[in-house]
């Protein structure tokens, strides 16, 4: 038998091992190829759909490429670890390390070649489907013509050949460096009884708690940067790892002293011994699952936020701003008539007075900001109107606390992005050309009360007490005093079309129908995201699969011995059910906790209720569904692979 | 009283007419309560196959088997497993202790699986392990003790639940001679106490000489039987003698082979 034949036979005989590896590589290749095919489709390049959609496809492709690197390395390393004994025996028999390295190299080339071919083929098959769905999502007038441009072939091949070559080289040199003894006994010498430390267990829980606390209480905005986010992620990953390696093992060892009868003895001891080996995989899965679930939930949540955006951007169906220098062609009464004629159903009309002012910014952000100054009672009138008209919106508006003379509240009307600037901050206010008045800004409200685009004054509002307002108004020049009118309508769609172009947009804000193209772009992003999530999910399943294979040889011996000692199939089944449940659902559980913390944090940034929680729940359920499928398949195929009941083979 | 009665056990492997392997060709065997029986025979003679059938791990193609009054063939699935758990003890050539359990836990396993109360289990396990000189290593793991200690633990595990019959497949096969002797003396003691019935498959004439009856099988048939009457040394010489005849006759059966 020649060396080449040995290699070929090895890959074919180890097909079950290689199957998982080749399948995940193929899916990576396929996904990248798909995204590239769309991004470099000539029709797409020449503006068949919004360029932003193309950017999404490209970015998704690169994300896939990046993650592929990690997974291909991880899976290949796991696979080679499984074959430690084989390599050890080969070395004992006189295979030189160099030969062994060459064997691993050749095997990788063979497997990777197959993966690349399969991936490209699958990609080609799915491109058409992908384009169809995409066209539908973007509501394009006609189908995107199918194409597999040379550029995407080239990019996919170059990227993966580079990854594969680097990976094959690295794995080969790793095997070459390990001696036969390490390879053969590596497994057994690791099988020390676990000695969990209670201190490290507590540290793990502490790190997790700290991570969650930072995310929930301090949130991204106060940590204010990527570094803050990275710190939280690092804390959570480290905490998760410690919980698995220490906390859980500690719990299992504790249980072990308690449980003394039935198959539970077996279950607890096996889990306790293996948890340390599982820990790395479980940490990876927990983290990855949390990332996938958070990303999906927040994307879907943001979509619902966008849909709500209309009501948030324009709390009033119509809002006008007028003063002596800027009169309107239509008087308020005429506007009401027009709305009613259009069938919008006016339910409320409000009037108030506002001043144009400029506020000295707190020291961190220098300069002045122009603000709309209103009295506390005017502001409350408008808030009350919003409260009584939008059931789910009203609740989030805080009550305006009583303001002392010389004190004010700052209202930042951008619920999507709102750094907190004021907190009992002394500053000065100038109205019109009058003198600067000292005042203290007690706090900040992050809600929108006046329609977006009321550019006549400013989107930032300053609330002062009623007496202060009257004093300011008395001193203010005429053209700094504005009258604001707001209309609530029961049919906002009709209200939006009541005026045509009669009114200047600088002074009048009329409710706008939601921007459809934005929504479409968003759907595209979610679609691409779904593909990536699916790939990650596959990666998670694969990781667990390799963990299972790792134990298979050992389990075969154990279970056959147990069969002789007289264990029933049902009892063996219970052992497997509990162990597999831990492997599949425990990471999911931790991932759910991580996700909840992340989504709470995300909500701080959004400051809009949206449908984040329902979306989050839906994503979790889907994910859970996938895990159940994986679990069922693994749980029912595993005993068959062990071939416990073939009696004549004791080893 | 017979603990085990086997009548005309036949085992045929394979299904295609041309490629059938007759591993057992009608074995008759009866073992009385408290007996220590050894089974000897050349490689491929069907010893492991026989043991697997006796343990209910494999179904015979023909014949009857009754253990402790129960017809084993009538049992299936879980009933068979429960039967093994309560009536049989098993000692393997390669020990087969579970690496994730301490020695004491390994011994306790058959009782724990049967959900016996923890205190009773602890008492029984401590008793058995003390008897085999394993008190010191109760809390240690299999890979932390010697092969001899592992095998004695395996024997402790096989008898802790007082089975009707202990089956041992080459129990000394992986042991050095000193450990093997300790193990065999353990078997002999168990036997001398009169409570345990042991059936041991072995290649080793020394091991076989500890038993009080030997069944030789060849080509799936009982070829010869030998009963111990005098001392162990005398029995050992008799075994060697029988084996030499067996070898000679083996040549006689296949005269065409060089
Ligand atoms: N699963 C099987 N399928 C086909 N033939 C088998 C199978 N198991 C055993 N045999 C055959 O049955 C015969 C008896 O095998 P068995 O394993 O019982 O021998 P043995 O006496 O235990 O040998 P050894 O001393 O080498 O362990 C042999 O010829 C063997 O090749
Ligand atoms: Mg055998």
């Amino acid at each position: 038998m020649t060396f080449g034949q040995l290699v070929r036979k090895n890959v074919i005989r180890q097909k079950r091992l290689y199957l998982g590896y080749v399948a995940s590589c193929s899916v990576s290749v396929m996904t990248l190829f798909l995204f590239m095919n769309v991004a470099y489709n000539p029709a797409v390049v020449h503006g068949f759909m919004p360029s932003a959609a193309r950017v999404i496809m490209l970015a998704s492709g690169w994300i896939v490429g990046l993650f592929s690197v990690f997974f291909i390395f991880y899976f290949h390393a796991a696979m080679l670890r499984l074959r430690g004994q084989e390599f050890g025996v080969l070395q004992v028999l006189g295979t030189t390390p160099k030969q062994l390295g060459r064997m691993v190299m050749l095997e990788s080339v063979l497997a990777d070649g197959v993966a690349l071919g399969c991936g490209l083929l699958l990609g080609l098959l799915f491109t058409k489907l992908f384009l169809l769905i995409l066209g539908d999502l973007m509501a394009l007038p006609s189908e995107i013509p199918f194409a597999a441009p040379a550029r995407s072939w080239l990019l996919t091949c170059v990227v993966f050949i580079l990854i594969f070559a680097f990976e094959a080289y690295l794995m080969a040199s790793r095997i070459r460096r390990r001696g036969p003894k390490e390879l053969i006994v590596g497994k057994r010498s690791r099988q020390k009884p676990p000695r969990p430390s209670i201190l490290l267990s507590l540290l793990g829980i502490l790190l997790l708690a700290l991570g969650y606390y930072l995310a929930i209480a301090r949130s991204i905005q106060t940590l204010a940067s990527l570094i803050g986010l990275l710190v939280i992620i690092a804390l959570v990953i480290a905490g998760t790892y410690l919980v698995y390696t220490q906390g859980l093992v500690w719990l299992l060892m504790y249980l072990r002293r308690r449980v003394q009868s039935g198959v539970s003895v077996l279950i607890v001891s096996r889990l306790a011994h293996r948890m340390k080996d599982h820990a790395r995989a479980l940490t990876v899965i927990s983290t990855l699952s949390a990332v996938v679930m958070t990303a999906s939930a927040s994307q879907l949540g943001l979509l619902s936020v966008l849909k709500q955006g209309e009501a948030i951007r324009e709390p009033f169906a119509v809002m006008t701003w007028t003063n002596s220098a800027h009169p309107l062609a239509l008087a308020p009464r005429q506007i009401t008539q027009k709305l009613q004629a259009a069938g919008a159903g006016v339910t409320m009309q409000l009037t108030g007075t506002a001043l144009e002012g400029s506020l000295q910014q707190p020291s961190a952000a220098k300069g002045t900001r122009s603000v709309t100054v209103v009295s506390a009672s005017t502001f409350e009138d408008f808030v009350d109107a919003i409260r009584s008209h939008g059931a789910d919106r009203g609740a989030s508006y805080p009550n305006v606390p009583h303001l002392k003379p010389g004190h004010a509240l700052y209202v930042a009307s951008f619920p999507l992005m709102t750094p907190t600037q004021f907190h009992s901050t002394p500053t000065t206010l100038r109205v019109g050309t009058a003198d600067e008045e000292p005042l203290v800004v007690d706090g900040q409200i992050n809600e929108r009360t006046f329609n977006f685009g009321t550019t006549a004054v400013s989107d930032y509002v300053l609330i002062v007490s009623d007496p202060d307002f009257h004093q300011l108004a008395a001193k203010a020049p005429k053209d700094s005093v504005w009258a604001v009118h707001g209309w609530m309508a029961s049919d906002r769609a009709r209200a939006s079309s009541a005026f045509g172009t009669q009114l200047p947009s600088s002074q009048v804000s009329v409710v706008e129908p939601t921007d459809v193209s934005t929504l479409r772009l968003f759907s595209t992003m979610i679609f691409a995201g779904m593909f990536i999530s699916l790939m990650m999910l596959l990666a998670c399943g694969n990781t667990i699969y390799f963990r299972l294979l790792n134990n298979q040889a050992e389990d075969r011996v154990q279970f056959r011995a147990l069969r002789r000692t007289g264990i029933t199939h049902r009892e063996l089944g219970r052992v497997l059910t509990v162990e597999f449940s831990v492997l599949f659902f425990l990471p999911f559980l931790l991932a759910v906790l991580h996700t909840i913390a992340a989504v709470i944090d995300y909500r701080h940034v959004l400051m809009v209720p949206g449908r984040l929680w329902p979306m989050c729940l839906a994503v979790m359920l889907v994910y859970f569904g996938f895990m159940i499928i994986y679990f069922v398949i693994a749980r029912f195929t595993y005993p068959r692979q062990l071939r416990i009941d073939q009696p004549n083979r004791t080893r | 009283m017979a603990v085990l009665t086997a009548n005309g056990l036949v085992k045929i492997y394979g299904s295609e007419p041309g490629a059938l392997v007759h591993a057992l060709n009608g074995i008759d065997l009866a073992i009385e309560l408290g007996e220590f029986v050894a089974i000897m025979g050349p490689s491929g003679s069907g010893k492991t196959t026989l043991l697997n059938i006796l343990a209910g791990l494999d179904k015979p193609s023909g014949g009857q088997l009754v253990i402790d009054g129960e017809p084993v063939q009538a049992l299936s699935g879980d009933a068979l497993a429960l039967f093994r758990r309560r009536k049989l003890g098993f000692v393997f050539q390669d020990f087969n202790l579970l690496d994730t359990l301490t020695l004491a836990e390994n011994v306790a396993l058959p009782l724990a699986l049967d959900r016996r109360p923890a205190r009773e289990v602890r008492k029984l396990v401590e008793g058995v392990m003390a008897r085999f000189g394993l008190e010191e290593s109760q809390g240690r793991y299999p890979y932390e003790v010697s092969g001899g200690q592992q095998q004695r633990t395996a024997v402790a595990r096989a008898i802790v639940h007082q089975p009707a019959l202990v089956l041992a497949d080459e129990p000394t096969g992986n042991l050095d001679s000193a450990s093997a002797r300790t193990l065999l003396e353990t078997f002999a003691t168990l036997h001398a106490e009169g409570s345990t019935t042991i059936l041991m498959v072995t290649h080793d004439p020394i091991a076989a000489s500890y038993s009080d009856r030997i069944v030789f099988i060849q080509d799936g048939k009982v070829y010869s039987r030998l009963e111990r009457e005098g001392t162990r040394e005398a029995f050992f010489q008799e075994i060697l003698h029988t084996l030499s005849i067996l070898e000679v006759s083996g040549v006689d059966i296949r005269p065409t082979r060089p």
Side-chain angles (χ1 to χ4, degrees):
Chain A
M1 189 168 60
T2 67
F3 194 66
Q5 281 171 323
L6 175 75
V7 169
R8 209 162 344 108
K9 281 190 179 154
N10 245 338
V11 175
I12 293 169
R13 301 243 167 92
Q14 310 256 9
K15 58 177 173 291
R16 217 153 42 75
L17 262 185
Y18 268 104
L19 199 69
Y21 174 72
V22 170
S24 32
C25 290
S26 303
V27 171
S28 301
V29 174
M30 176 193 87
T31 319
L32 181 68
F33 192 46
L34 267 183
F35 283 128
M36 290 300 149
N37 264 346
V38 175
Y40 290 107
N41 186 305
V44 174
V45 174
H46 293 112
F48 205 79
M49 56 188 198
S51 62
R54 203 180 150 239
V55 172
I56 291 172
M57 289 298 139
L58 273 177
S60 306
W62 292 122
I63 292 175
V64 170
L66 199 71
F67 268 93
S68 302
V69 177
F70 287 109
F71 277 103
I72 289 172
F73 272 84
Y74 183 83
F75 289 150
H76 204 180
M79 197 168 64
L80 291 183
R81 210 174 315 125
L82 280 178
R83 297 171 56 194
Q85 184 165 15
E86 178 194 332
F87 293 142
V89 171
L90 280 176
Q91 284 202 32
V92 170
L93 294 182
T95 316
T96 63
K98 209 169 145 196
Q99 268 177 320
L100 209 59
R102 209 156 54 109
M103 193 178 99
V104 170
M105 186 86 171
L106 277 175
E107 278 187 31
S108 322
V109 167
L110 208 64
D112 295 342
V114 172
L116 190 62
C118 289
L120 289 173
L121 198 72
L122 281 174
L124 217 51
L125 286 177
F126 280 110
T127 299
K128 181 71 192 163
L129 189 69
F130 200 83
L131 287 173
L132 272 177
I133 297 176
L134 209 60
D136 200 47
L137 280 176
M138 306 286 298
L140 297 177
S142 64
E143 273 178 31
I144 309 171
F146 173 86
R151 184 103 185 253
S152 71
W153 283 96
L154 196 73
L155 270 174
T156 312
C157 287
V158 165
V159 165
F160 276 96
I161 286 174
L162 277 181
I163 294 176
F164 286 148
F166 183 48
E167 175 261 355
Y169 172 76
L170 205 79
M171 292 300 152
S173 59
R174 250 169 92 166
I175 287 293
R176 217 165 34 206
R177 274 198 309 270
R178 237 171 282 168
K181 175 138 182 292
E182 269 170 286
L183 285 168
I184 291 180
V185 295
K187 201 169 161 83
R188 214 178 155 92
S189 54
R190 264 193 298 127
Q191 270 260 358
K192 288 272 152 53
R195 296 199 197 296
S197 126
I198 182 88
L199 231 65
L200 284 176
S201 309
L202 290 178
L203 181 68
I205 294 171
L206 201 77
L207 288 182
L208 264 190
L210 189 65
Y212 288 166
Y213 168 77
L214 284 180
I216 293 168
R218 310 298 307 275
S219 105
I220 295 173
Q221 46 169 324
T222 41
L223 290 169
S225 64
L226 195 62
I227 294 173
L229 198 66
L230 289 179
V231 166
I232 292 179
I233 292 175
L235 281 175
V236 170
I237 292 179
T240 309
Y241 185 68
L242 282 180
V243 162
Y244 283 130
T245 50
Q246 305 293 328
L248 209 62
V249 176
W250 187 85
L251 185 75
L252 284 165
M253 292 308 272
Y254 173 81
L255 277 178
R256 216 178 138 179
R257 267 171 268 135
R258 297 284 136 136
V259 179
Q260 300 208 322
S261 88
V263 277
S264 323
V265 179
L266 270 181
I267 297 173
V268 172
S269 79
R270 279 164 54 100
L271 275 178
H273 269 255
R274 286 178 179 175
M275 194 43 74
K276 227 174 177 144
D277 293 345
H278 290 328
R280 213 167 355 145
L282 294 188
T283 309
V284 169
I285 297 169
S286 307
T287 314
L288 203 65
S289 305
V291 169
V292 170
M293 288 200 284
T294 309
S296 313
S298 46
Q299 271 192 359
L300 291 170
L302 204 58
L303 186 67
S304 76
V305 165
L306 268 182
K307 281 188 175 148
Q308 278 191 347
E310 166 195 313
I312 290 161
R313 279 160 53 99
E314 285 106 12
F316 291 86
V318 179
M319 181 162 270
T320 63
W321 295 81
T322 49
N323 72 1
S324 53
H326 301 86
L328 270 185
L330 295 174
R333 184 137 44 87
Q334 290 169 301
I335 291 180
T336 309
Q337 280 167 2
K338 280 227 168 218
L339 279 171
Q340 238 131 20
V346 175
T347 51
M348 184 176 269
Q349 199 237 310
L350 284 179
T351 307
T353 312
L355 306 174
E356 201 176 323
S358 72
L359 184 71
Q360 185 67 41
Q361 298 249 63
S363 48
K366 295 203 177 69
T368 59
R369 158 159 278 157
S370 91
V371 287
T372 306
V373 184
V374 294
S375 70
S377 55
T378 304
F379 187 80
E380 273 169 356
D381 285 349
F382 278 79
V383 168
D384 283 343
I386 296 171
R387 278 200 184 123
S388 59
H389 279 80
D392 55 335
R393 285 261 295 137
S396 65
Y397 278 86
N399 285 317
V400 177
H402 177 73
L403 289 170
K404 284 181 280 180
H407 285 254
L409 273 179
Y410 183 71
V411 183
S413 306
F414 295 95
L416 288 176
M417 288 301 279
T418 49
T420 303
Q421 287 183 304
F422 292 95
H423 191 79
S424 298
T425 315
T427 178
T428 56
L429 174 73
R430 181 202 296 269
V431 172
T433 50
D435 291 334
E436 288 195 345
E437 305 262 346
L439 92 171
V440 176
V441 179
D442 287 347
Q444 180 168 335
I445 295 174
N446 298 320
E447 288 294 347
R448 174 173 285 284
T449 323
F450 300 106
N451 280 19
F452 177 72
T454 54
T455 41
V457 189
S458 162
D459 271 315
Y460 294 91
V461 175
L462 195 71
I463 310 169
V464 295
S465 68
D466 289 9
D468 281 358
F469 185 80
H470 290 307
Q471 277 180 23
L472 287 169
K475 279 188 264 174
K478 268 236 161 70
D479 54 359
S480 295
V481 183
W482 292 78
V484 54
H485 296 269
W487 285 262
M488 286 288 186
S490 53
D491 189 332
R492 295 169 68 99
R494 290 207 171 142
S496 71
S497 57
F499 302 100
T501 50
Q502 266 178 318
L503 299 169
S505 64
S506 60
Q507 272 169 268
V508 179
S509 141
V510 179
V511 64
E512 267 178 54
T514 314
D515 183 2
V516 180
S517 62
T518 312
L519 282 184
R520 288 205 178 121
L521 209 61
F522 227 81
S523 317
T524 312
M525 201 156 114
I526 287 172
F527 180 60
M530 249 164 52
F531 248 82
I532 297 179
S533 304
L534 222 62
M535 199 189 80
M536 303 264 181
L537 212 67
L538 205 79
C540 286
N542 238 319
T543 312
I544 300 179
Y545 176 74
F546 276 114
R547 281 314 316 162
L548 290 179
L549 284 185
N550 237 325
N551 296 329
Q552 207 174 33
E554 203 184 311
D555 274 359
R556 186 169 295 149
V557 176
Q558 271 203 13
F559 282 5
R560 279 183 189 165
L562 282 169
R563 272 304 274 170
R564 283 170 198 233
T565 326
I567 195 168
T568 62
H569 273 292
R570 186 130 40 83
E571 285 164 336
L572 276 187
R574 257 190 61 210
V575 173
L576 288 181
T577 303
V578 175
E579 284 188 11
F580 284 28
S581 302
V582 168
L583 232 55
F584 281 93
F585 299 124
L586 197 71
F588 174 75
L589 206 75
L590 268 174
V592 164
L593 287 182
H594 296 353
T595 307
I596 289 173
V599 169
I600 291 177
D601 190 7
Y602 186 59
R603 271 171 59 97
H604 289 317
V605 186
L606 277 184
M607 296 304 281
V608 180
R611 304 240 155 60
L612 215 46
W613 286 124
M615 287 302 171
C616 191
L617 188 71
V619 167
M620 284 173 184
L621 283 178
V622 169
Y623 206 95
F624 187 59
F626 271 109
M627 280 296 154
I628 287 184
I629 294 175
Y630 271 137
F631 169 80
V632 169
I633 293 176
R635 167 66 187 77
F636 290 100
T637 53
Y638 192 73
R640 228 172 299 146
Q641 287 172 7
L642 285 184
R643 295 189 294 269
I644 301 163
D645 280 334
Q646 285 189 6
N648 247 12
R649 304 276 165 269
T650 38
R651 279 162 193 273
Chain B
M1 194 189 95
V3 171
L4 178 149
T5 342
N7 278 316
L9 285 182
V10 173
K11 178 69 189 180
I12 302 168
Y13 285 113
S15 52
E16 283 161 43
L20 295 181
V21 179
H22 291 257
L24 298 182
N25 282 316
I27 296 250
D28 299 325
L29 193 64
I31 297 176
E32 298 293 317
L33 183 70
E35 265 195 309
F36 182 0
V37 178
I39 293 183
M40 295 192 80
S43 183
S45 56
K47 303 183 297 291
T48 301
T49 307
L50 177 63
L51 212 61
N52 279 334
I53 289 177
L54 297 184
L57 291 166
D58 210 352
K59 294 249 173 251
S61 316
Q64 277 92 42
L65 174 63
V66 178
I67 295 180
D68 207 26
E70 277 202 73
V72 179
Q73 284 120 302
L75 301 172
S76 64
D78 285 1
L80 206 55
L82 289 177
F83 166 79
R84 274 203 297 276
R85 184 190 288 178
R86 300 200 175 123
K87 301 255 165 104
L88 299 182
F90 230 105
V91 183
F92 306 87
Q93 180 172 357
D94 46 3
F95 324 140
N96 272 327
L97 297 176
L98 302 198
D99 268 352
T100 56
L101 296 177
T102 61
L103 296 191
E105 285 167 334
N106 262 294
V107 174
L109 199 60
L111 301 172
L113 285 177
D114 229 18
R115 303 192 162 278
R116 303 269 195 92
R119 283 189 50 203
E120 185 195 326
V121 171
R122 204 166 320 130
K123 226 181 87 200
L124 282 171
V125 170
E126 272 168 17
V128 171
M129 293 193 76
R131 200 152 115 203
F132 292 168
L134 291 163
E135 315 90 318
E136 310 278 280
S137 350
Q138 286 202 23
R140 297 166 86 179
Y141 285 90
Y143 42 85
E144 294 174 330
V145 300
S146 74
Q149 284 167 314
Q150 286 190 50
Q151 193 59 307
R152 270 181 284 144
T153 309
V155 176
R157 181 177 67 180
I159 63 156
V160 71
H161 54 303
Q162 282 148 349
L165 180 63
V166 174
L167 299 171
D169 191 359
E170 305 266 8
T172 56
N174 277 344
L175 297 180
D176 60 83
S177 57
S179 301
R181 191 163 345 102
T182 319
L183 183 83
L184 290 164
E185 268 153 21
T186 314
F187 272 139
T189 327
L190 283 173
H191 170 53
E193 285 165 3
S195 55
T196 318
T197 314
I198 304 167
L199 178 65
M200 173 175 73
V201 165
T202 184
H203 268 120
D204 178 7
I206 301 180
S209 71
Y210 281 82
S211 69
D212 45 26
R213 191 150 71 82
I214 299 177
V215 176
F216 294 92
I217 61 176
Q218 181 150 30
D219 296 330
K221 280 199 286 275
V222 176
Y223 178 82
S224 154
R225 295 173 202 265
L226 196 61
E227 283 205 30
R228 172 166 163 189
E229 272 139 14
T231 60
R232 198 166 69 71
E233 279 69 33
F235 194 38
F236 176 65
Q237 293 304 326
E238 264 185 279
I239 297 169
L240 288 184
H241 180 66
T242 313
L243 284 177
S244 65
I245 296 173
L246 256 171
E247 262 161 37
V248 171
S249 73
V251 174
D252 281 345
I253 290 169
R254 287 180 290 260
T256 47
R257 285 180 89 188

